[in-house]
Amino acid sequence: MRTTIQQVRDFKAKGEKFAVLTAYDYATARIVDRAGIPVILVGDSLGMVVLGYESTIPVTMDEMIHHTKAVVRGTDKAMVVADMPFMTYHITVEETLRNAARFIQEAGAQAVKLEGGVTVADKVRKLVDCGIPVMGHIGLTPQSVNQLSGYKVQGRNLQAAKKLLADARALESAGAFAVVLETMPTELSAYISSKITIPTIGIGAGAGCDGQVQVISDLLGLFTDFVPKHAGQYARLADLIADAVTAYAADVKNGSFPTLHQSFTMEEAVIEDLKREDESP
Ligand code: KIV
């Protein structure tokens, strides 16, 4: 049985902090699921850390569906939340419902995530009314990087802080089961967390949130183009991979790979027959 939205709500009710992690492929999702992470996010961060785009803006529905399917196949305990790409939930309610339904019906996700607060609350309500659980995402919303003039800390002045509080409340009223708070002052995220009943999941938002989310490629030290300040680096896989690849290439060059262990044999008589037949005029 996968994690349910009620269990996520209960984490907050019980004061139990919880970890959320992104995953984008079958093998990684399997490891993360078996490690007991209750909620796995197929974030549109995949555009940057897996597909090499400059931002999350170019990520398409089809790319997200493809990766979400792989993550769903790799998991049986975690709730899988799929990120709705840029402009797939803004134009009309109908289009929003159709796109979200693809994640649930076609890809097998249990919930969707979308960016924005007050301005997307009507869409959130419709999705929830149709039985699609929604995770909100406010603060630094990367799909709006151009409007925000860069990846900056949000909510530092009174007006901006009030707006984020209103966004969080609008998502709660619209029926979102949780909300990501990204890149905002610790004091503000702690205050928002104390003022809404749904769990807050922080990234770059300090320790006062109910849960935390990290991009797995940052956590494992796999993505090295840049390391965000909010990233917790628990391993340095890029270095390990580079060492392994270099050692492999050297072994191939000097003939020490493959060994008998990685090789297959055949009966000597068969190869001798082959040679005799092949070489006889
Ligand atoms: O796309 C993503 O990975 C996200 C998390 C950073 C919350 O939205």
Side-chain angles (χ1 to χ4, degrees), residues 249-268:
D251 285 353
V252 170
K253 235 183 179 72
N254 67 29
S256 58
F257 182 90
T259 65
L260 286 179
H261 185 68
Q262 291 96 18
S263 307
F264 305 91
T265 56
M266 66 195 291
E267 277 179 34
E268 206 177 330

Side-chain angles (χ1 to χ4, degrees), residues 2 21-42 66-81 216 220:
R2 292 180 185 272
L21 204 49
T22 67
Y24 315 102
D25 65 87
Y26 170 85
T28 313
R30 211 163 167 75
I31 297 168
V32 173
D33 193 48
R34 287 179 177 176
I37 296 289
V39 179
I40 296 181
L41 171 67
V42 189
H66 178 76
H67 286 269
T68 302
K69 281 182 174 176
V71 169
V72 169
R73 286 193 292 270
T75 53
D76 49 29
K77 294 196 283 294
M79 172 195 292
V80 176
V81 181
I216 193 154
L220 301 180

Side-chain angles (χ1 to χ4, degrees), residues 5-279:
I5 60 169
Q6 187 55 50
Q7 285 171 316
V8 175
R9 288 198 180 107
D10 288 348
F11 286 140
K12 178 165 182 135
K14 291 188 224 154
E16 204 180 307
K17 300 242 187 212
F18 61 101
V20 177
L21 204 49
T22 67
Y24 315 102
D25 65 87
Y26 170 85
T28 313
R30 211 163 167 75
I31 297 168
V32 173
D33 193 48
R34 287 179 177 176
I37 296 289
V39 179
I40 296 181
L41 171 67
V42 189
D44 62 355
S45 50
L46 93 87
M48 297 174 80
V49 301
V50 175
L51 303 178
Y53 299 146
E54 268 190 16
S55 75
T56 58
I57 291 173
V59 176
T60 66
M61 274 299 297
D62 285 345
E63 286 166 341
M64 287 301 302
I65 293 280
H66 178 76
H67 286 269
T68 302
K69 281 182 174 176
V71 169
V72 169
R73 286 193 292 270
T75 53
D76 49 29
K77 294 196 283 294
M79 172 195 292
V80 176
V81 181
D83 233 347
M84 296 195 67
F86 179 60
M87 290 309 288
T88 63
Y89 52 95
H90 295 94
I91 299 168
T92 63
V93 168
E94 288 72 21
E95 203 177 321
T96 306
L97 293 177
R98 212 172 295 118
N99 286 327
R102 282 190 70 193
F103 282 117
I104 307 298
Q105 208 166 25
E106 189 181 326
Q110 285 72 56
V112 297
K113 176 170 84 56
L114 47 79
E115 298 182 5
V118 172
T119 56
V120 294
D122 59 330
K123 311 282 194 333
V124 172
R125 171 47 63 198
K126 285 282 184 201
L127 290 168
V128 171
D129 285 348
C130 290
I132 299 179
V134 179
M135 179 182 282
H137 182 164
I138 61 172
L140 172 53
T141 44
Q143 291 172 10
S144 304
V145 61
N146 294 321
Q147 182 62 29
L148 299 173
S149 300
Y151 299 96
K152 298 175 180 165
V153 179
Q154 302 296 305
R156 272 191 161 143
N157 63 47
L158 179 61
Q159 197 191 354
K162 279 166 80 171
K163 181 185 174 304
L164 289 180
L165 181 58
D167 283 338
R169 285 182 165 140
L171 289 167
E172 177 183 34
S173 304
F177 73 95
V179 57
V180 170
L181 306 183
E182 179 164 352
T183 316
M184 64 178 72
T186 301
E187 299 84 344
L188 177 60
S189 61
Y191 187 70
I192 292 174
S193 302
S194 74
K195 286 291 171 185
I196 58 175
T197 57
I198 57 173
T200 58
I201 305 171
I203 176 161
C209 298
D210 303 302
Q212 296 290 326
V213 58
Q214 286 283 294
V215 169
I216 193 154
S217 320
D218 294 335
L219 193 92
L220 301 180
L222 199 52
F223 180 73
T224 54
D225 289 5
F226 58 88
V227 180
K229 176 171 160 62
H230 59 59
Q233 204 178 65
Y234 284 75
R236 290 179 159 273
L237 289 199
D239 293 343
L240 281 182
I241 292 172
D243 289 349
V245 168
T246 308
Y248 159 69
D251 285 353
V252 170
K253 235 183 179 72
N254 67 29
S256 58
F257 182 90
T259 65
L260 286 179
H261 185 68
Q262 291 96 18
S263 307
F264 305 91
T265 56
M266 66 195 291
E267 277 179 34
E268 206 177 330
V270 178
I271 189 71
E272 288 311 323
D273 284 351
L274 173 74
K275 287 178 187 170
R276 200 176 327 105
E277 283 181 26
D278 186 52
E279 286 163 12

